[in-house]
Amino acid sequence: MFSKAVSYGSLWDFAVPESVAESQRWVLSAMHKHGQGLVTMLWRILGNEQDVCDAYQDTFLQLAHFDGGRKPRHVKAYVFRVANNVAISILRRRIAEKKRFSRPKTEAGAARSPVDELDSKYLQETLRIYITQLPEHLRNVLTLRDLAEMSYARIGKILGISPGTARVYRCKAVQLLAVWMNEKEQR
Amino acid sequence: MQSHIVRCPRCQRRLVSSGKVNLALSFIKAQPHRLDLLMRANGQAVSVLKHSLRQEPKAQELKKALPQQTPLAKYGRYGFSLGSLAACIALLFLMKIGVFSSMDTVQTRGQKVIRRYYVKHAGQDLADEVFPTDTGQSPSANSHGPFTT
């Protein structure tokens, strides 16, 4: 009896990895379905192709290992939230590295002319820096709304808030960014 | 609100700053990436999945995936032509059901009524002067009447 149980147990051990691999085809389906949207969002957050590939890889790796290889209930919500967090971590790391290696250049950047302040690259970089400093709930809404171009209803579903709340958070995020950018200009 | 902003320097500063944020967001959105970015990202992501998944035909497809245009972007360039065609069809339809001839009839009858009013209240001479069409021209063809521009 006991030996029979052992043999069933070993059979089960062999069967589990195979069935997990079989059942994880949904990871590829998710990649096919949401890949384009994710790449667009990551590109807009990061602005660097290698970083986009790294964040994308990390996102799907986390998805494949979620809860022992099980499919999350809302794959799109999970994937976009993870990608958002991964991208912000990469961006923070990049900003910190940049600060460390080019301190004199950053200090010189404070004395920019008004013409330079309308420079596309400068504005993009400044905005990215400030986006990383936003509180998480505001940042999530801003990135999903403005960089992933989702509707407020969809954002509400992803973040578990109402569309109205998402709208308010987006407005607050823009106000906060505007204040920070204005402060920087006055400094 | 607008008049307040014109007078309030603080609100002006706020408006300029939020405009700058929106401008920066537009710059970020307008920045293009290489066409093969999705392909590369998929390739890198697939390479860390389990061996059995990597061998799936779908995984091979993903490694060659290119960004797909949305239907709006795809057919947007035909929008103007389609709009013009729709306008032409609408005009033809209106002509077919006789809307324009009905409008012409309404205009003619209206002018006749007004002429009668002038005759009654201002006299035949003035009415003939204002509406010289009775001599042979149709009232609708009168381009110097008081109701034409």
Side-chain angles (χ1 to χ4, degrees), chain A residues 20-21 24-25 27-29 31-32 35-36 39-40 43-45 49-50 52-54 56-57 60-61 64 117-120 123-124 127-128 131 142 146-147 149 170 174 177-179 181-182 185-186, chain B residues 13-14 16-18 20-25 27-38 40-50 52-54 56 58-59 61-62 65-70:
Chain A
V20 166
Q24 274 204 328
R25 281 200 188 116
V27 176
L28 297 175
S29 301
M31 207 181 280
H32 184 257
Q36 197 174 331
V39 164
T40 306
W43 166 251
R44 286 172 178 174
I45 295 174
E49 293 190 348
Q50 191 49 54
V52 170
C53 291
D54 291 345
Y56 189 84
Q57 182 191 39
F60 281 100
L61 201 60
E117 276 166 8
L118 287 174
D119 173 50
S120 153
L123 272 179
Q124 286 180 49
L127 189 72
R128 284 196 177 107
I131 284 176
L142 187 90
D146 290 282
L147 306 181
E149 291 183 68
R170 196 256 169 193
V174 170
L177 288 172
V179 168
M181 285 181 104
N182 198 25
E185 196 183 307
Q186 285 177 346
Chain B
R13 270 202 305 277
R14 270 189 193 173
V16 168
S17 324
S18 60
K20 206 179 262 184
V21 172
N22 287 324
L23 182 70
L25 282 169
F27 279 143
I28 286 178
K29 276 194 258 183
Q31 200 71 22
H33 58 72
R34 274 166 55 180
L35 205 62
D36 64 345
L37 183 59
L38 178 63
R40 280 167 52 206
N42 278 338
Q44 198 171 320
V46 165
S47 69
V48 291
L49 295 177
K50 283 182 180 148
S52 55
L53 279 176
R54 270 185 270 156
E56 289 276 328
K58 207 166 192 174
E61 274 175 36
L62 282 166
L66 286 172
Q68 300 289 317
Q69 276 188 320
T70 58

